[in-house]
Amino acid sequence: MPRTRRRFDLSAVTELLLGLPTVLSSLLVFFLAGRALVPQTPWLVPALWLLSGAVVFVPATDVVLAALAHRLRKPTAAERALLEPLLEEVCGAAGVEPGRYWLRVQNSREINAMAVGGHVVGVSTAALQLPRRQVEAVLAHELGHHLAGHTRISLLRWWYELPARVVVRVVVLVATGVLVAGRAIGTRAAAVTSLLLVVALAVAAVVVSPWLLLVPVVAPLLALASRRGELHADRVAAELGYGPLLLEVLQRWVKEGHDDARARAPMRARMLASHPSCAQRISRLRRPPGRNPGA
């Protein structure tokens, strides 16, 4: 079996670093909860929460997340008969055991595929209609995400950011309710009072989650890291010998108009896109191997 082509990608490290402000906000949330629940040892609650990140490395977490967040299901016997030999070929080229990865299928009319956590490789039912070798190339791209640590880092960041994001979501809902109530009462005093309460809630949210002030900067950088991760996964697939086949898939997407809406989108939407355009991916794949620095 060839040497494993596993290497941590810089885009995964970048994503982890960019998530630190939100993670620290979550830590503050649990510290405040600790002070309220166990004032003698307030550090205990945030410490337990940090340890809870181990759930990301539990294989069952991948299965649950794949089913709930991505609506992935186990493949049928016919789908498994198609996908398992292809995954074995890809894993053989990468030098990893195919038993590490679990195949899942998403009922969708769009050609799509995804990597979830540290084990799940999913494809859409539409992707299964591609020629076998093109399906294999798509699997190689998703395996590239696993080998680079993209999916594991994304899941870990999501878990540690969740408390801060929940707090902000609750504050937004409460603030919306306050504004609606102020308008419903209809008096100027009620309108001013509701506005002052919303401002107070906004200040409290920023105190608990200072990362809100960084969102205009961090969000585009996270999207950029995600796009670089996609280009890296393409490069891994190309290194495994699937470059020409992946090009065929991307060229098919271009013909189907996948880049049309993106080209018409405003600049901010393009900056916040998690995937690079098909045209950019095609351009990178066509470059000689030595001319893809930082992809």
Side-chain angles (χ1 to χ4, degrees):
M1 180 173 285
R3 180 174 58 87
T4 301
R5 299 170 182 263
R6 183 185 297 275
R7 63 171 181 270
F8 219 53
D9 179 30
L10 182 60
S11 63
V13 179
T14 302
E15 180 179 349
L16 188 61
L17 292 175
L18 289 172
L20 280 178
T22 317
V23 173
L24 292 175
S25 295
S26 293
L27 195 61
L28 177 58
V29 169
F30 276 98
F31 179 75
L32 294 175
R35 288 186 62 179
L37 297 174
V38 281
Q40 298 82 6
T41 54
W43 54 268
L44 184 60
V45 173
L48 290 174
W49 171 71
L50 287 174
L51 290 175
S52 74
V55 71
V56 169
F57 300 94
V58 176
T61 301
D62 295 349
V63 176
V64 173
L65 187 63
L68 295 181
H70 301 283
R71 297 182 180 180
L72 294 173
R73 58 171 174 79
K74 290 184 178 181
T76 64
E79 292 165 344
R80 186 175 295 279
L82 168 66
L83 289 170
E84 282 187 344
L86 302 181
L87 182 62
E88 288 176 3
E89 287 290 332
V90 173
C91 289
V96 295
E97 287 293 335
R100 286 180 52 88
Y101 303 103
W102 305 326
L103 290 163
R104 292 294 185 270
V105 175
Q106 181 187 66
N107 294 326
S108 174
R109 295 180 180 179
E110 293 187 5
I111 297 174
N112 193 20
M114 64 211 70
V116 181
H119 302 86
V120 174
V121 177
V123 295
S124 67
T125 47
L128 295 178
Q129 306 307 312
L130 293 170
R132 288 175 59 90
R133 290 285 288 165
Q134 289 184 10
V135 176
E136 197 172 326
V138 171
L139 294 177
H141 171 90
E142 301 308 327
L143 184 64
H145 282 304
H146 281 305
L147 296 178
H150 295 155
T151 49
R152 186 79 80 183
I153 289 296
S154 293
L155 183 54
L156 187 64
R157 181 176 65 84
W158 173 81
W159 178 260
Y160 280 139
E161 288 183 348
L162 191 58
R165 293 187 181 277
V166 168
V167 168
V168 171
R169 185 65 60 86
V170 170
V171 169
V172 169
L173 289 174
V174 172
T176 301
V178 169
L179 285 176
V180 170
R183 291 174 182 173
I185 294 173
T187 65
R188 179 174 296 180
V192 171
T193 301
S194 64
L195 184 59
L196 290 175
L197 285 173
V198 168
V199 171
L201 285 169
V203 171
V206 170
V207 170
V208 175
S209 299
W211 67 272
L212 286 172
L213 300 175
L214 300 175
V215 166
V217 176
V218 172
L221 292 176
L222 277 170
L224 176 61
S226 177
R227 293 194 298 271
R228 291 174 69 88
E230 292 297 326
L231 295 174
H232 178 87
D234 282 349
R235 189 171 68 183
V236 172
E239 290 175 355
L240 298 179
Y242 295 98
L245 291 163
L246 194 55
L247 275 172
E248 291 177 7
V249 176
L250 292 170
Q251 288 164 347
R252 174 173 180 158
W253 283 347
V254 170
K255 290 179 180 178
E256 292 177 354
H258 280 247
D259 277 359
D260 293 349
R262 186 189 187 97
R264 296 190 299 268
M267 177 63 72
R268 178 166 176 79
R270 295 199 297 271
M271 289 177 62
L272 294 177
S274 61
H275 282 60
S277 66
C278 293
Q280 184 182 7
R281 294 175 66 181
I282 290 170
S283 175
R284 288 296 184 97
L285 281 169
R286 283 175 170 168
R287 291 183 187 180
R291 296 184 58 190
N292 280 329

